[in-house]
Amino acid sequence: MDGALLILIFLIAVALLFDFLNGLHDAANSIATIVATRVLPPMFAVGWAAFFNFIAFLFFGLHVADTIGRGIIDPEIISDQVIFGALMGAISWNVITWLAGIPSSSSHALIGGLLGAGVAKAGSGAVIVAGVTKTVAAIFLSPAVGFALALVLVFIVSWVFVKANPSFADRVFRRLQFVSASAYSLGHGGNDAQKTMGIIAVLLYSRAPPGSEFMVPFWVVITCQAAIALGTLFGGWRIVHTMGSKITRLSPQQGFCAETGGAITLFLATGLGIPVSTTHTITGAIVGVGAARRTSAVRWGIARRIVLAWFVTMPAAAAVAAVFYWIGGAFLT
């Protein structure tokens, strides 16, 4: 088999490994609330989330994949070595934070990896400032929007059910959580799987004849959706524990509000082609429902630890990616 083809297959396999780890690492985003409220046991919850992760491609366009493929670093400087460095930087940071039980962002680890490997090859001129600015802004906006929507939803449902029998309200929201968890899993699969699609698509574009159009083949779409769904199916219990119970205690009503607020945020971002962090989004929403009860209901020490990981993720992944870029030069050139 041709050496260049072997390298291509190897890099696609590494990209799919990242996608699998993304599902594994971010499973908590999809299922933490429905597990914390005891609506579903963990094994059923991951199966539920994995299914909706997989079918997300039926509901969304490929705007996020386009942003990752062409909007972070100049696609003209993409090489096998750059892709290898970016993926290994993101994978390394995901594994570190997964082992530590820290819900950091796989999305921003990948973006940091792209920036680190791209700058290592071509300097700061390789960076597409507009795309990076939009992504960095989303670090702050997605949890803020998730927080605000969840807070508003708590007040609305509390007003609607103010005279309802507590056991009746509990039964209603336990059923509604199946809907809200499904919606959040769709948003998760729609936004996160597209990031790996963008990586594989720009890798294929780098090998295409001059003048070729950037596109995401359907086999890439299906393969990436399957990989992230499989990762979700294997779960990520350390992070589920942090997200589902350490930040604040959740009732079915609060779980519904957090998932719905997070889902709306993800749908908006995916439609606009913004690669947001599902981790940031659901964390903001969970903090929002906790703060609606009372500010002391939120364990702010845990929340601060999570926020610190957000700020560290991109530069840490970028630094690791730059190292792997140079390592990749030993066998990919």
Side-chain angles (χ1 to χ4, degrees):
M1 189 180 289
D2 180 70
L5 180 58
L6 280 173
I7 291 174
L8 177 63
I9 293 171
F10 167 73
L11 290 173
I12 290 174
V14 175
L16 293 175
L17 173 63
F18 167 78
D19 206 22
F20 173 84
L21 290 173
N22 190 349
L24 180 76
H25 189 275
D26 288 1
N29 303 338
S30 301
I31 66 169
T33 49
I34 204 168
V35 171
T37 56
R38 301 182 187 277
V39 171
L40 276 179
M43 289 308 298
F44 285 102
V46 291
W48 184 270
F51 171 75
F52 286 99
N53 273 187
F54 177 70
I55 65 170
F57 73 94
L58 298 172
F59 297 86
F60 300 101
L62 298 174
H63 308 302
V64 174
D66 188 68
T67 297
I68 292 293
R70 298 192 293 179
I72 303 299
I73 60 173
D74 184 356
E76 300 302 325
I77 67 102
I78 292 293
S79 65
D80 295 346
Q81 197 174 341
V82 169
I83 293 296
F84 176 74
L87 289 169
M88 291 306 297
I91 287 171
S92 299
W93 186 248
N94 266 3
V95 170
I96 291 167
T97 52
W98 176 71
L99 290 173
I102 301 171
S104 67
S105 168
S106 298
S107 307
H108 293 126
L110 181 60
I111 291 164
L114 272 173
L115 290 170
V119 170
K121 179 180 179 180
S124 59
V127 178
I128 298 176
V129 176
V132 175
T133 301
K134 179 170 69 173
T135 302
V136 171
I139 293 177
F140 304 97
L141 287 176
S142 63
V145 172
F147 177 96
L149 288 173
L151 192 65
V152 169
L153 284 167
V154 168
F155 289 135
I156 290 172
V157 300
S158 296
W159 179 76
V160 170
F161 284 83
V162 66
K163 295 182 179 179
N165 181 286
S167 63
F168 168 75
D170 185 75
R171 286 196 304 274
V172 168
F173 284 105
R174 282 180 178 276
R175 293 188 178 97
L176 285 176
Q177 265 206 280
F178 285 101
V179 178
S180 59
S182 301
Y184 194 85
S185 294
L186 276 176
H188 174 238
N191 201 283
D192 273 17
Q194 286 195 44
K195 293 150 190 169
T196 305
M197 293 177 204
I199 290 290
I200 296 176
V202 77
L203 175 63
L204 297 173
Y205 174 80
S206 71
R207 292 164 174 265
S212 297
E213 183 181 352
F214 178 88
M215 61 174 292
V216 184
F218 184 67
W219 69 265
V220 173
V221 174
I222 289 293
T223 307
C224 289
Q225 294 289 172
I228 199 168
L230 190 62
T232 300
L233 195 60
F234 277 80
W237 308 120
R238 291 179 177 87
I239 298 172
V240 167
H241 181 54
T242 298
M243 297 291 288
S245 61
K246 284 192 176 181
I247 297 175
T248 189
R249 295 292 176 184
L250 297 173
S251 67
Q253 175 185 326
Q254 293 167 326
F256 167 78
C257 293
E259 289 161 348
T260 303
I264 294 170
T265 305
L266 292 181
F267 287 7
L268 290 172
T270 304
L272 294 170
I274 302 173
V276 299
S277 166
T278 54
T279 307
H280 294 192
T281 303
I282 197 63
T283 301
I286 290 172
V287 170
V289 298
R293 188 164 69 241
R294 61 183 187 279
T295 55
S296 61
V298 178
R299 295 185 176 93
W300 295 104
I302 298 293
R304 279 193 295 270
R305 179 177 168 226
I306 292 170
V307 170
L308 178 62
W310 296 353
F311 286 98
V312 172
T313 291
M314 283 182 68
V320 177
V323 172
F324 273 105
Y325 170 80
W326 296 114
I327 293 172
F331 64 94
L332 292 174
T333 55

